Amino acid sequence: SSSSSSSSPSGGADGAGTGTSGGGGGGTPLAPLLQTLLAPSLRAARGLSRERLRITVLPGFSMLCWASALGLDSAAKWPAPSTCFLVETLADDKNDAFVRVWHLRDLWELRPAWHRGDGPVPLPRLLEHLAPVLGQRPRSSPGVATTATDDGEG
């Protein structure tokens, strides 16, 4: 089964509170942006959202910060006008969550420079990579529920 989402900073209430699990500080100035953009993927991975698609419009600088934080080296440059990315959240047969980032203009999959495996990026691994930026201690737990931040959108 799969669930796709591209995130947006709108409010909602599905019971998945804001904040960090196992915190470790306030994070960097990018933490709120990343938490907002990751929240739909986290909710979809946990089965807390019926949402099938979410569109977010980011100004160029925010998109640049997002791409840099995720390690998307090929996208970490000032975006051209109308640059579009799709953030897709997937679940495999074991309900392990994965994230793919697509550049929509040419349907090219973007992978973080630190991701060496085949296929999409495991969501827990992405969260582990982003933990210092989000103000969390990196965790080695494979479970999405113990490694997450989200903003309670729905």
Side-chain angles (χ1 to χ4, degrees):
S1 81
S2 74
S3 173
S4 298
S5 73
S6 156
S7 42
S8 111
S10 65
D14 63 9
T18 307
T20 60
S21 298
T28 68
L30 289 178
L33 171 69
L34 294 175
Q35 288 170 342
T36 299
L37 295 176
L38 288 171
S41 293
L42 294 168
R43 282 192 312 279
R46 294 177 182 158
L48 298 175
S49 175
R50 290 179 287 189
E51 192 173 83
R52 301 304 291 171
L53 177 66
R54 179 178 286 230
I55 307 272
T56 300
V57 177
L58 291 177
F61 184 70
S62 294
M63 190 178 291
L64 176 63
C65 292
W66 169 80
S68 294
L70 267 60
L72 302 173
D73 291 349
S74 61
K77 58 184 178 222
W78 193 260
S82 73
T83 296
C84 300
F85 296 102
L86 171 71
V87 179
E88 180 181 26
T89 306
L90 308 161
D92 65 9
D93 295 337
K94 296 180 282 183
N95 266 346
D96 292 332
F98 299 86
V99 175
R100 277 194 160 137
V101 179
W102 298 93
H103 189 274
L104 288 182
R105 178 165 282 173
D106 55 13
L107 294 177
W108 190 260
E109 182 181 358
L110 302 170
R111 293 189 181 172
W114 48 263
H115 178 61
R116 301 289 182 227
D118 291 333
V121 178
L123 184 56
R125 177 68 182 102
L126 176 63
L127 294 171
E128 181 182 320
H129 173 78
L130 292 175
V133 178
L134 295 170
Q136 299 177 340
R137 290 178 303 239
R139 295 178 179 244
S140 58
S141 170
V144 173
T146 61
T147 317
T149 64
D150 56 59
D151 68 356
E153 297 176 14

